[in-house]
Amino acid sequence: MKIIKHTNKTYSQMTCYTVVAKSGHVLVIDGGNHGDGDELTRVVNKLGGHIHLWLITHPHCDHHDAVMDVIKAGVLTYDRLGASQVTDDWARLAGTSDISEVLEWNAFARENLDERYFDIQPGTVFELGTMRVEVLAVANPEILANPINNQSVVLRISEDGFTFLVLGDLGVDGGKKLMASGTDIRADAVQMAHHGQNGVDESFYRAVAPKYAFWSTPDWLWFNRGEDGRDGTGPFATQTVAGWMEKLGTENIIAFGKTVAFDTETCTAEEF
């Protein structure tokens, strides 16, 4: 399979991956911000213009805004679109400043999505040719710390023995819950939670023991660039987390200014 890491087309961090099976089946995960829809459309059109399965990890704008834009524009077709849904009432109970992003997604789904839209259930397995997509975890509504991020779906995608673990923006509490469940989270590659900082903790990554780490991280976040324009003066823990991965001997896959495709057979990445 090929794991395509979309680059951000705005200043902001974002998450979007397109994973292509050897059979040609196309899986899209998230989409990015307003402003990232054209890149999503370009990538999918290059692969034939059709999405067989589209999964939304959680309702934050840097994951779903481009999804809304592309669907409203009608520029891509898809078979099924799933999300691990949380209700408007839950979002209001969580009481964080970003509840508007949950409400916006839920309103969009009610008004624009049809019977192809579904609620992702734990334990579900999707077969896309010889590519297998397993749902390891879904929303954790009982977790009210870092609430929206901790609702992230966790997926394990595999083909021909290579496994890719997708974490969305999963936080420490969601990661601890998943580890405590006894679920096998080992994988050859991992999508770094919450753009590589303020996500799951070091013990989680040790349990995954990945060879490759995919960073949904723009250059300013990777280098922890501060308001003064100097690297290393910002408030972000990205380089601390990079140090964790270095101890594991993990190779970093980044996409500064260009979308890259990682071939799981050759374990090489090139611009897409």
Side-chain angles (χ1 to χ4, degrees):
M1 62 186 176
K2 287 187 177 180
I3 303 169
I4 301 171
K5 163 70 192 81
H6 296 226
T7 192
N8 55 299
K9 289 297 184 177
T10 73
Y11 181 77
S12 177
Q13 78 286 343
M14 55 77 77
T15 295
C16 184
Y17 289 86
T18 298
V19 187
V20 189
K22 290 171 65 176
S23 60
H25 287 83
V26 174
L27 164 69
V28 172
I29 300 165
D30 292 336
N33 289 293
H34 296 309
D36 293 312
D38 286 348
E39 182 67 0
L40 170 59
T41 302
R42 181 191 73 83
V43 169
V44 175
N45 277 338
K46 192 172 180 178
L47 298 168
H50 183 71
I51 300 168
H52 296 90
L53 181 62
W54 202 341
L55 300 176
I56 313 303
T57 60
H58 67 293
H60 262 154
C61 63
D62 57 321
H63 296 252
H64 65 53
D65 275 0
V67 179
M68 297 190 293
D69 292 342
V70 166
I71 290 176
K72 287 179 180 178
V75 293
L76 295 174
T77 59
Y78 65 93
D79 290 337
R80 302 185 72 196
L81 188 152
S84 184
Q85 301 172 42
V86 292
T87 66
D88 291 357
D89 287 344
W90 178 87
R92 295 186 182 101
L93 174 66
T96 62
S97 60
D98 49 5
I99 63 170
S100 61
E101 298 174 30
V102 179
L103 303 180
E104 182 181 30
W105 173 260
N106 287 350
F108 168 81
R110 287 192 296 268
E111 295 166 9
N112 296 274
L113 300 181
D114 54 26
E115 68 279 356
R116 293 173 293 174
Y117 182 54
F118 64 96
D119 189 18
I120 303 173
Q121 298 297 318
T124 302
V125 176
F126 305 97
E127 304 283 356
L128 299 175
T130 54
M131 184 167 71
R132 178 181 174 93
V133 183
E134 303 171 75
V135 180
L136 302 187
V138 293
N140 302 294
E142 77 282 4
I143 298 178
L144 296 180
N146 191 11
I148 311 300
N149 288 331
N150 271 314
Q151 307 314 306
S152 293
V153 172
V154 177
L155 307 168
R156 180 166 52 214
I157 306 166
S158 58
E159 186 176 54
D160 293 341
F162 190 99
T163 53
F164 176 42
L165 189 68
V166 174
L167 301 177
D169 281 358
L170 194 68
V172 171
D173 297 271
K176 287 181 176 179
K177 177 182 174 181
L178 181 56
M179 291 179 67
S181 73
T183 300
D184 183 6
I185 58 174
R186 291 174 297 175
D188 296 295
V190 64
Q191 172 251 314
M192 301 298 290
H194 198 244
H195 315 280
Q197 64 96 33
N198 198 29
V200 297
D201 62 16
E202 184 177 6
S203 67
F204 190 97
Y205 289 120
R206 286 201 303 267
V208 177
K211 299 174 185 175
Y212 304 95
F214 286 75
W215 295 73
S216 307
T217 312
D219 57 355
W220 58 265
L221 182 54
W222 172 261
F223 292 112
N224 187 25
R225 191 167 297 147
E227 292 183 1
D228 58 5
R230 294 185 298 121
D231 292 347
T233 64
F236 309 106
T238 327
Q239 286 301 303
T240 297
V241 178
W244 300 347
M245 308 315 287
E246 184 177 3
K247 286 189 289 185
L248 293 173
T250 303
E251 179 179 337
N252 296 319
I253 308 298
I254 54 180
F256 300 156
K258 62 182 179 181
T259 291
V260 298
F262 179 87
D263 188 316
T264 60
E265 290 190 350
T266 62
C267 292
T268 57
E270 61 183 13
E271 186 171 356
F272 187 83

